[in-house]
Amino acid sequence: MHLAQLHDGEPVEFITSNVRNRHGSWLLKREVDIRSVMMNTDCFTSHGISGFDQIIENFDGLLIPTEADLPEHTAYRSFMTPAFAPRRIAEMDEVIRKRVRQVIARVGPRGGCEFMAEAAYYMAIAPWCEIMGLDYSEADRWIRFPVGILQYNDDRAELMAEMIEAARGLYRELKGSDREGLLAAFVNTPFDGEVPSEASAIGFIVFMLIAGVDTVGATLGFAMRQMAMDKVLRTRLRSHPADVAPFVEEVLRRYPVVATNRYVKKDVKVGSVTMKAGDNVILPMSMANSDPAANACPMAFDVERGRTRTMTFGAGMHMCIGSRVARALLQIAVEEWLLAIPDFEIPDDAPLVARVGDVIALTALPLSYPITSAATV
Ligand code: HEM
């Protein structure tokens, strides 16, 4: 069924046992309802929304900051804010560009690639490594966790356990060290007089990994697919680089990859439905952005759209702190790719498969293009 058609039915539905909650969940569809739940921290909590504690034995940490409620959340958020400041992101431009060009230099001469596995995530992780203070040469080690876990394969629980062990190892390396970057700073910063416990530090490291790599790679995949399908668009973006920014905005609006959720803290009415304390509520950003009441002709991809109502990065106190990083990476990746490989397409017989869940993504994006040795590193 087409996403937009879901808006024709009931605005709030109950769906039975699902990957998010085996007891079933409320599914919200209207942008106004999704936004109001995200803003309403009196009646809804983020505590436990990852479900990690239910899947991984001996893990009782919260994923910080996303599962933290008030007042703890405020301290975590203030601590993180400087690392995501516009000036800091602008300073990273050169190094992100260099990494993106390295990836293009690797796949360009082959005349084709599977963009998701061979390029998207290697580009997406570049700014992440800079902010977190991790060495880009270890990209492979970190990419496999978020991408594998969000794929919901059979080995998901094992991969999660492995990721937690990797985060524990990193925590021990960083504790007491003078290493740079957000992860070392978190591990060694006192909150309310005490440095974070091992469980809290692991919860922070794991969430940073889950939040900041797969989401960007997934969105970049949709950007590339859109360009691969539309020669006029490619030509326009190449000849008018100023249009790359509105193009990125429309990609973010049309392909919002995250679906998050909340638990009901106290009974509350949403639309015509009364939700009970303990109920789970799924909040898909794709439903919000495709709501015709929020954006006219929501399924059309239109770079000329101008102002939109989008919830791609959420709303309220948990709104994405990495939105500027995501925008910067997307802009740079599109610019650099078009400079090096102006013409590319999806081979006719290529199957296009997407995964759904917490982060929607193409599982593969085969591209073909004339062999190029462009992209100077
Ligand atoms: C296109 C890429 C991205 C999308 C679509 C996206 C989307 C979102 C959404 C919808 C939320 C809200 C979740 C909720 O309220 O339950 C969120 C939160 C968050 N995101 Fe992103 N995100 C992206 C990239 C990033 C990046 C690059 C980083 C960091 C490097 C990041 C870090 C975070 C963090 C830390 C939170 C939690 C904020 C808090 O709880 O205060 N995200 N993101």
Side-chain angles (χ1 to χ4, degrees):
M1 187 190 281
H2 206 276
L3 192 61
Q5 287 171 301
L6 287 170
H7 285 288
D8 295 339
E10 286 299 315
V12 184
E13 271 183 51
F14 191 78
I15 50 169
T16 51
S17 182
N18 61 84
V19 291
R20 172 56 50 222
N21 195 291
R22 66 195 154 88
H23 303 297
S25 309
W26 294 105
L27 171 67
L28 296 195
K29 301 181 197 167
R30 295 194 316 171
E31 189 258 2
V32 51
D33 292 337
I34 294 173
R35 192 181 289 276
S36 79
V37 167
M38 296 187 98
M39 305 300 288
N40 183 350
T41 49
D42 278 342
C43 296
F44 296 93
T45 173
S46 293
H47 202 105
I49 59 170
S50 73
F52 266 48
D53 52 342
Q54 290 167 37
I55 300 168
I56 309 286
E57 276 176 39
N58 71 31
F59 178 71
D60 55 2
L62 284 184
L63 298 202
I64 295 172
T66 200
E67 292 188 315
D69 281 342
L70 291 173
E72 292 80 13
H73 179 266
T74 310
Y76 294 135
R77 189 80 190 201
S78 324
F79 154 79
M80 294 174 74
T81 299
F84 294 89
R87 194 172 53 89
R88 178 79 189 91
I89 312 296
E91 282 165 5
M92 293 190 316
D93 185 284
E94 205 177 312
V95 66
I96 302 175
R97 240 171 244 285
K98 179 173 152 194
R99 301 282 181 234
V100 165
R101 286 182 192 155
Q102 281 170 342
V103 175
I104 297 172
R106 209 163 56 220
V107 296
R110 282 198 253 133
C113 68
E114 195 290 88
F115 185 79
M116 298 310 293
E118 295 181 298
Y121 299 114
Y122 287 102
M123 293 179 181
I125 202 170
W128 186 86
C129 285
E130 286 301 305
I131 295 170
M132 301 302 147
L134 297 180
D135 197 333
Y136 184 76
S137 65
E138 287 201 282
D140 276 326
R141 178 176 173 215
W142 299 112
I143 287 172
R144 59 188 278 270
F145 294 126
V147 175
I149 286 164
L150 292 161
Q151 208 109 295
Y152 277 85
N153 290 339
D154 291 345
D155 62 353
R156 188 166 189 256
E158 287 150 46
L159 203 54
M160 276 170 146
E162 224 186 292
M163 174 174 64
I164 284 172
E165 281 321 302
R168 194 186 311 282
L170 187 56
Y171 163 73
R172 290 180 181 166
E173 249 175 64
L174 298 177
K175 192 169 161 57
S177 81
D178 58 359
R179 290 253 305 261
E180 295 206 342
L182 192 65
L183 301 184
F186 182 82
V187 164
N188 297 305
T189 295
F191 292 89
D192 223 2
E194 274 183 51
V195 291
S197 65
E198 181 170 291
S200 298
I202 292 174
F204 183 77
I205 295 170
V206 160
F207 183 66
M208 285 303 125
L209 197 47
I210 294 282
V213 179
D214 188 74
T215 48
V216 181
T219 310
L220 180 55
F222 287 113
M224 293 300 289
R225 173 176 169 270
Q226 196 68 37
M227 290 192 290
M229 292 186 317
D230 188 342
K231 191 174 169 57
V232 174
L233 175 66
R234 288 197 301 272
T235 312
R236 171 181 172 173
L237 296 177
R238 252 194 350 261
S239 47
H240 297 97
D243 289 348
V244 174
F247 166 69
V248 166
E249 286 313 304
E250 181 61 352
V251 169
L252 287 163
R253 185 205 66 83
R254 176 63 184 80
Y255 303 105
V257 293
V258 171
T260 184
N261 70 110
R262 294 289 186 268
Y263 282 93
V264 178
K265 263 204 291 201
K266 53 183 179 206
D267 295 6
V268 58
K269 208 163 174 202
V270 179
S272 58
V273 167
T274 301
M275 300 180 180
K276 298 279 180 196
D279 284 359
N280 181 251
V281 191
I282 297 182
L283 310 166
M285 302 307 133
S286 53
M287 291 306 306
N289 286 10
S290 62
D291 182 349
N295 294 297
C297 305
M299 304 313 279
F301 189 92
D302 181 3
V303 178
E304 307 284 340
R305 220 168 248 280
R307 270 180 78 81
T308 54
R309 267 178 83 83
T310 71
M311 292 203 58
T312 305
F313 294 108
M317 73 179 203
H318 289 288
M319 191 167 173
C320 183
I321 204 167
S323 59
R324 283 195 201 99
V325 182
R327 286 190 166 100
L329 183 280
L330 292 166
Q331 168 104 19
I332 291 171
V334 169
E335 284 171 3
E336 294 294 333
W337 184 278
L338 284 173
L339 272 179
I341 307 178
D343 240 342
F344 53 102
E345 56 188 19
I346 302 168
D348 283 344
D349 53 351
L352 270 186
V353 183
R355 62 158 136 109
V356 289
D358 311 84
V359 181
I360 303 168
L362 296 168
T363 45
L365 177 60
L367 294 180
S368 65
Y369 36 81
I371 290 175
T372 172
S373 57
T376 38
V377 180

